[in-house]
């Protein structure tokens, strides 16, 4: 087969909820019985899965005449070796885009919304029917790309982790995290439900919910609306935001460093937790770094960037 280009296109996909049910219950019949018995609607799962798989199949067919095409599941992305000239097509929700970006090294990423009726798709500007002309534009460098700022967590034992949206630093369980936080020459021992560090891209996610909750609580207490917003950073902003969740004041823990920018420096956190301390990024709890007593982390802007085709 003669291709339009010798470059390779890598399609990144995910398991659907129906696939996960089948994996859990061995087959769709047993899965359907369980869902219906619990009062759920199995047809919703099946319809969602059919639409998604139809989009994946159509995308593959549209692209296979243009270049070599390889399809991989999100499960294998962390260990997959992307070629430096690969074009990456992600079909899924925003989270799949973020989780793929941090494993790339400058390769352009084209994000496809497989089901606009279900997914808002802030990071999913394209449909599968757009792919032929988008890929042609990318092949000749005529397609604009947005630069995505990432954050990096560097541990004093040599390990590190990247985040496209956000980091969580805290405990695996719902008990309080204990640590010492340092930034811009200030230092404080704290007890809290953990710390969220967000990039510009992630500011509309976890950070937004933290700020919204804090604002609603404050307005209820003071009895009137509180004006003023943090604002939404650009995706390539050269700063991060940190937010401490549910900080607890006591004789040995403070609450003066609970929210702010990480700009031109780093946020440093020293664990005071004998066990179950963790750091994970972009909502992937299974891929975590241990953050127990003796471990310190420095969080700052990463030198590595992501590139999202728009």
């Amino acid at each position: 087969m003669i291709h339009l280009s010798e470059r390779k296109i890598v399609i990144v996909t995910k398991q659907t909820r129906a696939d996960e049910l089948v994996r859990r219950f061995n087959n769709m019949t047993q899965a359907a019985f369980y869902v219906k018995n619990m009062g759920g609607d199995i047809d919703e799962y099946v319809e969602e899965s059919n639409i998604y798989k139809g989009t994946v199949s159509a995308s593959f067919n549209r692209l296979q005449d243009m270049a070599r095409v390889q399809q991989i599941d999100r499960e294998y992305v962390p260990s997959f070796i992307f070629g430096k000239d690969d074009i990456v097509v992600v079909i899924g929700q925003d989270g799949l885009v973020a989780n793929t970006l941090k494993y790339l090294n400058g390769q352009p990423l084209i994000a496809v919304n497989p089901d606009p009726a279900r997914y808002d798709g802030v990071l999913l500007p394209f449909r599968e029917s757009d792919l032929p002309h988008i890929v042609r534009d990318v092949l000749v460098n005529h397609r604009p790309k947005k630069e995505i700022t990432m954050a990096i967590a560097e541990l004093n034992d040599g390990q590190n982790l990247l985040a496209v949206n956000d980091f969580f630093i805290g405990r695996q369980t719902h008990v309080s995290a204990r640590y010492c936080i340092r930034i811009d020459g200030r230092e404080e021992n704290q007890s809290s439900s953990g710390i969220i560090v967000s990039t510009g891209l992630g500011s509309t996610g976890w950070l937004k919910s933290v700020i919204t909750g804090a604002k609603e609580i404050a307005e209820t207490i003071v009895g009137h609306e509180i004006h003023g917003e943090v604002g939404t950073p650009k995706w390539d902003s050269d700063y991060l935001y940190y937010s401490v969740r549910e900080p607890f004041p006591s004789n040995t823990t403070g609450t003066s460093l609970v929210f702010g920018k990480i700009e031109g420096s780093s946020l440093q956190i020293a664990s005071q937790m004998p066990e179950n301390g963790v750091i994970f990024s972009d909502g992937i709890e299974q891929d975590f770094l241990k953050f127990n007593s003796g471990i310190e982390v420095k969080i700052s802007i990463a030198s590595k960037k992501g590139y999202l085709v728009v």
Side-chain angles (χ1 to χ4, degrees):
M1 178 183 294
I2 299 176
H3 294 128
L4 182 64
S5 172
E6 289 304 311
R7 294 173 68 178
K8 183 175 65 177
I9 299 173
V10 180
I11 299 178
V12 179
T13 60
K14 65 181 183 67
Q15 297 288 299
T16 65
R17 293 188 297 167
D19 292 332
E20 292 169 352
L21 281 171
V22 169
R23 184 165 58 182
R24 179 181 174 188
F25 294 103
N26 297 319
N27 58 61
M28 182 53 75
T29 300
Q30 293 186 66
F33 176 80
Y34 171 81
V35 172
K36 289 180 179 179
N37 194 49
M38 297 300 291
D41 181 8
I42 191 65
D43 293 338
E44 164 68 15
Y45 292 83
V46 173
E47 180 187 24
E48 177 188 58
S49 185
N50 288 341
I51 291 173
Y52 181 77
K53 291 182 178 181
T55 299
V56 171
S57 177
S59 299
F60 192 96
N61 291 335
R62 288 182 185 277
L63 296 174
Q64 64 178 346
D65 291 335
M66 303 182 69
R68 292 178 296 129
V69 181
Q70 182 173 2
Q71 181 178 326
I72 63 168
D73 185 82
R74 69 182 302 171
E75 179 181 353
Y76 303 105
V77 169
S79 59
F80 186 80
I81 300 175
F82 291 91
K84 64 182 182 66
D85 293 324
D86 286 354
I87 298 171
V88 181
V89 175
V90 171
I91 304 174
Q93 294 168 269
D94 289 340
L96 184 57
V97 175
N99 292 328
T100 302
L101 271 174
K102 64 187 175 186
Y103 296 106
L104 303 182
N105 288 292
Q107 295 93 341
L109 187 152
I110 302 169
V112 174
N113 190 336
D115 197 346
R118 286 184 173 85
Y119 310 140
D120 291 338
V122 175
L123 305 181
L124 307 170
F126 304 118
R127 302 291 302 274
E128 58 83 12
S129 57
D130 299 322
L131 282 173
H133 77 263
I134 299 299
V135 170
R136 285 190 175 90
D137 285 349
V138 171
L139 288 172
V140 294
N141 295 317
H142 283 172
R143 197 77 197 179
K145 298 187 287 287
K146 276 194 174 181
E147 187 175 89
I148 308 297
T149 294
M150 300 188 199
I152 185 168
E154 300 172 283
L155 272 58
N156 59 344
D157 65 0
Q159 297 184 84
N160 63 74
L161 184 66
L162 289 169
V164 175
N165 283 327
D166 41 50
F167 281 118
F168 172 81
I169 305 99
R171 293 287 286 265
Q172 277 183 319
T173 57
H174 292 288
V175 296
S176 295
R178 295 292 298 267
Y179 52 86
C180 178
I181 183 171
R182 306 184 191 99
I183 188 167
D184 296 332
R186 300 172 65 192
E187 177 178 314
E188 185 172 74
N189 288 325
Q190 291 186 346
S191 175
S192 75
S193 296
I195 304 172
I196 308 300
V197 178
S198 297
T199 65
L201 185 66
S203 64
T204 57
W206 206 343
L207 179 64
K208 182 177 180 180
S209 67
V210 169
I211 293 172
T212 300
K215 184 172 181 287
E216 292 297 325
I217 291 171
E219 289 180 347
T220 300
I221 292 173
V222 301
H224 61 78
E225 185 177 355
I226 297 174
H227 298 283
E229 297 182 356
V230 171
T232 302
K234 295 180 179 179
W235 293 356
D236 60 353
S237 295
D238 58 354
Y239 58 85
L240 310 170
Y241 275 115
Y242 74 91
S243 179
V244 177
R245 301 196 310 165
E246 301 171 330
F248 185 77
S250 72
N251 291 338
T252 58
T253 58
T255 59
S256 65
L257 297 174
V258 299
F259 184 84
K261 277 186 179 181
I262 307 169
E263 187 174 20
S265 61
S266 64
L267 178 71
Q268 299 175 51
I269 309 166
S271 176
Q272 298 173 347
M273 296 172 282
E275 61 181 359
N276 295 326
V278 295
I279 300 173
F280 63 80
S281 65
D282 303 324
I284 307 299
E285 297 183 36
Q286 299 85 352
D287 184 16
F288 66 90
L289 299 178
K290 291 183 178 180
F291 188 56
N292 298 321
S293 298
I295 297 295
E296 297 186 13
V297 63
K298 180 178 73 174
I299 299 177
S300 57
I301 294 290
S303 57
K304 184 177 178 179
K305 306 292 183 182
Y307 297 93
L308 185 65
V309 175
V310 294

